Amino acid sequence: SWKANKEVSTLPLVTTTQKTRETLNSRIPTILVIDDSLTARQTLTLTLQKFGYQVIQAGDGREGMEKLRQESSIQAVFCDVEMPTMNGFEFLSASRKEYPAEALPIIMLTSRSGDKHRGIAKLLGANHYLTKPYLEQELLQTLQACLELVKC
């Protein structure tokens, strides 16, 4: 007959502490999404979360700068070009004064597909330039390349 083992396990209980959560979260890349369109932000956020990323959102460049300064965990940025208060190019210019391209990849994501806008973004220090509507796979591959190489 089967007897229950009455020995008490000497293994320590594993509890999820704040430190453990912080360690786990630090391994999951945090992405800042800046777009004045709530729908665009939410769509991109859901896509990124589906693939395991943490996301912080901002509605314009000024709010994006505030989030960058508040959240040291941000490892990459997706930024629209046309936004009120501080547009994407103004954000790119301001952020590059504090965060070099090698340290913080910024991927412009906009409906503006012309060479003029691409050229301005490159000149201001964008790591990459994608156009809307985007292909989910291309967007994720671009992000992954930027995170791995930190400069794409």
Side-chain angles (χ1 to χ4, degrees), residues 23-90:
T23 303
L24 288 171
N25 288 344
S26 69
R27 293 186 195 141
I28 301 168
T30 299
I31 311 302
L32 175 60
V33 172
I34 308 170
D35 199 314
D36 60 320
S37 163
L38 179 60
T39 305
R41 277 199 321 269
Q42 289 178 333
T43 302
L44 182 52
T45 295
L46 288 172
T47 297
L48 293 169
Q49 288 174 337
K50 182 170 71 174
F51 289 91
Y53 295 100
Q54 292 186 86
V55 180
I56 294 171
Q57 298 182 35
D60 61 44
R62 182 170 294 151
E63 187 184 349
M65 286 302 296
E66 289 169 12
K67 300 283 186 186
L68 272 182
R69 291 178 182 131
Q70 292 166 0
E71 302 287 340
S72 61
S73 62
I74 294 170
Q75 294 177 26
V77 179
F78 280 104
C79 185
D80 187 23
V81 170
E82 295 176 319
M83 297 179 290
T85 314
M86 178 187 272
N87 71 36
F89 291 144
E90 292 166 333

Side-chain angles (χ1 to χ4, degrees), residues 108-146:
M108 303 308 288
L109 182 61
T110 179
S111 56
R112 294 290 187 168
S113 59
D115 289 341
K116 176 185 167 189
H117 287 87
R118 287 178 185 275
I120 293 169
K122 187 175 184 177
L123 189 67
L124 294 175
N127 292 69
H128 210 80
Y129 193 98
L130 296 174
T131 54
K132 297 174 188 173
Y134 57 86
L135 296 172
E136 190 175 272
Q137 191 170 356
E138 181 186 12
L139 180 128
L140 292 165
Q141 286 172 344
T142 300
L143 175 58
Q144 194 58 45
C146 284

